[in-house]
Amino acid sequence: MVSSCLRSLSKFTACAIVVLLSLSCFSFTTTEAYDALDPNGNITIKWDVITWTPDGYVAVVTMFNFQQYRRIQAPGWTLGWTWAKKEVIWSMVGAQTTEQGDCSRFKLNTPHCCKKDPTVVDLLPGTPYNQQIANCCKGGVLNPWVQDPATAVSAFQVSVGSSGTTNKTVRMPKNFTLKAPGPGYTCGPAKVGKPTKFFTADGRRTTQAMMTWNVTCQNWESRSLNHQVKG
Ligand SMILES: *[C@@H]1O[C@H](CO)[C@@H](O)[C@H](O)[C@H]1NC(C)=O
Ligand SMILES: *[C@@H]1O[C@H](CO)[C@@H](O)[C@H](O)[C@H]1NC(C)=O
Ligand SMILES: *[C@@H]1O[C@H](CO)[C@@H](O)[C@H](O)[C@H]1NC(C)=O
Ligand SMILES: *[C@@H]1O[C@H](CO)[C@@H](O)[C@H](O)[C@H]1NC(C)=O
């Protein structure tokens, strides 16, 4: 390539463009590797049981993108877990499962999902208002928290049945999985956390979750760096 470059000035220009293009590829790679500088970056999932129902509970599940540089791009996050017992999802607001699964044991009402390991995706912007909750329906796209807290949060509501109806009989879901475009994520076990407090819109009353669980997921680059640092 070098000798052909020297043959004419116009060809040299073409070669310069090639070199520039490959340089821009390099800078792209460095941007991608940026979260090597962000070993504690994580996505935290909070599972707040807000009310009990005759056969289960209603929870608000909130995801926070606590990564410094990594945005979750379209087509967005996919969240999965495995139920600890025989739970079903009666309904969801602000998100949906990708498959209903086998609900044939239900005769009167049909649950939204009967799978042991449901897979949940966000709804798209423009979802009708009566099918939304606060912070839902962003097509699974999440900006970094430091960049914009308002667009770094995703939430949906899930109504769970056959789960137990007290804080002694419910079980935390297991094996959380988070998928998103780019390198994968590994999620830790769910842990019992301090019950979340919610403020009413006028700020005059505080309510509290019945139970709060949280799960932390890290992308593989942050995670391997974190292990090197600690190990
Ligand atoms: C996740 O990120 C938040 C915000 O930076 C931080 O407070 C928390 O300690 C992190 N969690 C873990 C397990 O690294
Ligand atoms: C369950 O609820 C009782 C009474 O409301 C409370 O005292 C207890 O700490 C709760 N346990 C858990 C694990 O949240
Ligand atoms: C969770 O995942 C681990 C490892 O993939 C597997 O051994 C275990 O059986 C899973 N647990 C459930 C309840 O699916
Ligand atoms: C998650 O739960 C752990 C254990 O209780 C707690 O230390 C941590 O602060 C919680 N994180 C969030 C974001 O609620």
Side-chain angles (χ1 to χ4, degrees):
M1 194 174 85
V2 174
S3 63
S4 67
C5 272
L6 293 175
R7 241 177 262 153
S8 77
L9 201 60
S10 68
K11 277 214 179 120
F12 180 78
T13 319
C15 285
I17 289 171
V18 169
V19 169
L20 275 180
L21 277 179
S22 46
L23 275 180
S24 66
C25 283
F26 259 115
S27 58
F28 182 70
T29 320
T30 0
T31 317
E32 278 298 288
Y34 247 72
D35 50 7
L37 302 172
D38 185 19
N40 296 314
N42 68 70
I43 302 216
T44 295
I45 301 160
K46 214 153 54 72
W47 189 292
D48 287 307
V49 174
I50 51 171
T51 176
W52 304 111
T53 61
D55 75 331
Y57 63 85
V58 175
V60 172
V61 180
T62 313
M63 299 166 65
F64 301 86
N65 183 5
F66 287 141
Q67 301 179 106
Q68 289 206 43
Y69 308 103
R70 192 173 289 280
R71 179 172 189 258
I72 297 200
Q73 310 273 5
W77 54 260
T78 301
L79 183 66
W81 62 81
T82 306
W83 289 119
K85 305 200 285 185
K86 297 238 176 287
E87 291 90 337
V88 294
I89 299 175
W90 280 116
S91 61
M92 290 186 96
V93 185
Q96 63 186 358
T97 64
T98 56
E99 280 179 76
Q100 183 179 33
D102 179 5
C103 291
S104 59
R105 68 190 163 102
F106 294 87
K107 301 286 179 250
L108 288 174
N109 298 314
T110 314
H112 177 79
C113 177
C114 300
K115 281 182 72 95
K116 178 93 180 156
D117 54 348
T119 300
V120 175
V121 292
D122 201 0
L123 299 181
L124 299 175
T127 297
Y129 282 118
N130 63 0
Q131 292 162 38
Q132 293 197 16
I133 68 159
N135 290 317
C136 84
C137 314
K138 299 173 173 178
V141 172
L142 285 181
N143 285 318
W145 183 265
V146 284
Q147 189 183 318
D148 179 14
T151 56
V153 184
S154 220
F156 60 87
Q157 183 180 296
V158 58
S159 175
V160 181
S162 310
S163 60
T165 54
T166 69
N167 68 3
K168 296 210 169 55
T169 53
V170 289
R171 293 287 171 269
M172 295 181 270
K174 297 177 193 302
N175 281 5
F176 277 86
T177 56
L178 176 66
K179 291 193 192 121
Y185 289 83
T186 302
C187 300
K191 292 185 182 146
V192 177
K194 231 172 60 183
T196 307
K197 296 205 160 108
F198 299 97
F199 300 93
T200 55
D202 62 6
R204 284 154 55 88
R205 179 176 148 78
T206 311
T207 58
Q208 186 171 325
M210 303 287 159
M211 299 192 78
T212 294
W213 300 319
N214 68 39
V215 178
T216 305
C217 305
Q218 278 205 304
N219 80 58
W220 292 340
E221 285 171 15
S222 291
R223 197 177 138 84
S224 59
L225 190 88
N226 210 0
H227 284 197
Q228 280 162 24
V229 169
K230 284 183 183 148

